[in-house]
Amino acid sequence: MVNKSKNNLVTLEEYIIQAQNRFPGATGELSQLLRDIGLAAKIISREVNKAGITNILGFEGSTNIHGEAVKKLDIFADGQLISALERSLITCMVISEENDGVVKLGARNGKYIVYLDPLDGSSNIDVNVSIGSIFSIYMREARFDQTLRDDDALQPGVKQVAAGYVLYGSSTTLCYTTGLGVSMFTLDPSIGEFILSDRQIKLPEHGSIYSINEGSYNSWPLGLKKYIKYCQEEDAETNRPYSARYIGSMVADIHRTLIKGGIFIYPHSKRYPSGKLRLMYECNPLSFIIEQAGGMATNGKERIMEIQPEAIHQQTPIYIGSKENVTTVMEFLEEYQEASV
Ligand code: AHG
Ligand code: MN
Ligand code: MN
C-alpha cells in the first residue's frame, strides 16, 4: 500500500498527469477523459449519499415514490457522465445501458468511444447496499474524414484503451487501468478529492470465496453445479469449503474479488440463455481490470475480452476472478459439457 502520510497524498488528477508524463507523445486527451469521469463520479457519489436520506424518509411515504427515486438515480448518473464527456469534446460516441442506441456527441471528430453502465446494482439503492458506475474506453477506428458508423463501437475488449469503475460503498472508491496495472483511489469527502490508495493491485492466484446467485441453481449447466458442490466440500489443502458471498451489484462483487481473490460467476441458464450481464459495459471493463491484476475472465469457453461483439447491449455468461479458481471451473464445464442446458 502507498504511504499515506499527510504530506504524501497523491490525488487522482496528479496521478493521471504523472502517468501521462511518462509518455512523451501523449496528447493528454485520455487523461482529460479520465479526469472528466472522476468529476462525474464525485457528483454521483454525492447524490447516492443523498438518496440514502431520501430512502429513509421514503419509508414513511409510499413505495412508489421510493421506486421512482431509484430510477431517477440511474438517469441522473447517466446524465452526469454523458455531459462530463460531452464537455471535453474528445468523445465522439457514448453507449450506455440507459440508452437503446448509440449516442453521438457534438464532437463528431472526437477520438474516443465510451461505454457506460452509469449505475450498476441499482436494485440495491433502496436497501443502502453498495452500487457502482462502470466505464470502458475505445479509440475510434474510423478516420476523421469518414462518417462515424454505429458499428465503429463494436470492438472486442482487447482493444480497450482504459476501463474502470467507481464503487459507492462505505467509502467511494475509483479503480482504473490503462493496461499498465490497476490503480485504486478513495474519495476523501472532506477535500473532495480521490486519493491514491494502491498503484499496482494484484489479486491472489487462488481465493476461497465463490460468488453466484445460488437461487438459480436448478437451471445451471451441470458442470457448474458440480463445481459449486466442489467449492462446498471439505479439503484442508485447498482451503475448502469456500465461503459464499453475493452482493448482487457486480461492481461490488468484483471489487471484493479484486482484493480478496476467489471467483464471481453469472452463468447462462434457462432464464438467461446468453447470460444476464452485458459484454460491453459490465464484463469487458471488469475483465480488463481483473486481468491487469493477474486474474482471468472467460465465458466458459472463450476469453471475455476476445469475444467479437455483434450488438452494443449483448449479454454473455461470465466466470471471472483468481486464475486457479477460473481454471478449475472451466475444467468442470468441459468435463460435463455434453450434459449442459
Ligand atoms: P444493473 O443494475 O446495471 O442493471 O446491473 C445489475 C446486475 C449486476 O450488477 C448484478 O451482478 C446482477 O445484475 C444481479 O443479478 P441477479 O439479481 O439476477 O443475481
Ligand atoms: Mn449493471
Ligand atoms: Mn445499470
Side-chain angles (χ1 to χ4, degrees):
M1 292 294 262
V2 167
N3 177 1
K4 286 195 224 156
S5 87
K6 267 200 171 161
N7 299 324
N8 208 9
L9 296 180
V10 179
T11 67
L12 174 65
E13 304 245 334
E14 287 164 348
Y15 185 82
I16 289 171
I17 299 287
Q18 282 170 16
Q20 181 196 318
N21 289 342
R22 270 183 253 131
F23 297 91
T27 60
E29 286 166 302
L30 182 60
S31 303
Q32 181 60 47
L33 212 168
L34 291 169
R35 293 205 303 267
D36 292 341
I37 290 173
L39 175 63
K42 284 193 248 181
I43 298 170
I44 298 166
S45 176
R46 190 191 60 196
E47 212 61 24
V48 165
N49 292 340
K50 272 201 248 160
I53 298 166
T54 313
N55 284 339
I56 290 163
L57 296 174
F59 288 124
E60 286 179 346
S62 77
T63 38
N64 274 353
I65 292 165
H66 188 55
E68 276 165 22
V70 171
K71 197 164 175 235
K72 269 190 208 150
L73 206 49
D74 272 319
I75 304 300
F76 178 84
D78 188 53
Q80 284 301 323
L81 283 159
I82 293 182
S83 52
L85 296 173
E86 179 127 54
R87 268 196 302 272
S88 53
L89 299 175
I90 42 188
T91 304
C92 56
M93 52 179 165
V94 179
I95 298 93
S96 157
E97 187 190 12
E98 300 304 329
N99 299 289
D100 289 346
V102 164
V103 179
K104 295 204 171 102
L105 299 186
R108 291 286 163 100
N109 283 342
K111 232 192 204 173
Y112 293 105
I113 297 169
V114 180
Y115 277 88
L116 297 171
D117 181 350
L119 210 71
D120 176 64
S122 47
S123 69
N124 275 329
I125 296 171
D126 52 346
V127 288
N128 201 9
V129 170
S130 300
I131 50 178
S133 300
I134 311 173
F135 60 92
S136 166
I137 304 172
Y138 292 85
M139 194 87 94
R140 71 182 273 172
E141 290 191 321
R143 287 198 325 264
F144 294 130
D145 56 355
Q146 289 173 330
T147 316
L148 199 55
R149 291 171 312 124
D150 289 5
D151 282 2
D152 291 333
L154 294 177
Q155 301 180 37
V158 284
K159 294 207 170 162
Q160 290 172 104
V161 292
Y165 64 81
V166 185
L167 175 68
Y168 314 105
S170 46
S171 60
T172 296
T173 303
L174 186 150
C175 221
Y176 82 93
T177 183
T178 54
L180 298 168
V182 180
S183 312
M184 191 181 284
F185 302 80
T186 306
L187 182 63
D188 181 340
S190 66
I191 55 170
E193 295 280 5
F194 280 106
I195 304 296
L196 181 65
S197 44
D198 205 327
R199 60 172 87 225
Q200 271 296 350
I201 300 171
K202 292 287 166 209
L203 83 169
E205 284 262 316
H206 169 256
S208 305
I209 297 174
Y210 70 92
S211 185
I212 186 165
N213 183 343
E214 219 152 340
S216 308
Y217 179 89
N218 283 336
S219 70
W220 291 346
L222 183 62
L224 177 57
K225 287 180 176 168
K226 297 271 186 196
Y227 173 71
I228 296 298
K229 286 297 158 208
Y230 161 89
C231 294
Q232 295 166 346
E233 279 160 18
E234 255 181 68
D235 177 45
E237 209 175 299
T238 50
N239 209 16
R240 286 179 288 142
Y242 298 159
S243 288
R245 295 282 185 276
Y246 188 73
I247 297 166
S249 304
M250 189 187 189
V251 167
D253 281 311
I254 293 297
H255 185 69
R256 181 201 55 250
T257 307
L258 183 64
I259 292 169
K260 296 196 168 175
I263 187 163
F264 171 84
I265 301 171
Y266 209 110
H268 74 270
S269 61
K270 284 178 191 128
R271 185 167 174 205
Y272 297 112
S274 310
K276 177 185 180 189
L277 299 174
R278 312 298 178 125
L279 174 65
M280 302 306 285
Y281 42 81
E282 292 177 320
C283 298
N284 269 336
L286 297 177
S287 298
F288 194 14
I289 293 272
I290 288 289
E291 282 198 9
Q292 282 293 311
M296 268 178 85
T298 154
N299 65 0
K301 293 190 180 106
E302 197 182 354
R303 184 180 168 208
I304 290 286
M305 292 209 295
E306 285 177 5
I307 298 172
Q308 177 58 50
E310 282 162 12
I312 53 177
H313 295 290
Q314 171 173 340
Q315 293 161 305
T316 176
I318 187 165
Y319 300 80
I320 178 169
S322 296
K323 264 191 183 151
E324 191 278 330
N325 304 66
V326 177
T327 308
T328 305
V329 74
M330 283 177 79
E331 286 165 9
F332 274 90
L333 293 172
E334 168 100 48
E335 189 177 344
Y336 296 97
Q337 200 177 14
E338 296 305 316
S340 292
V341 288

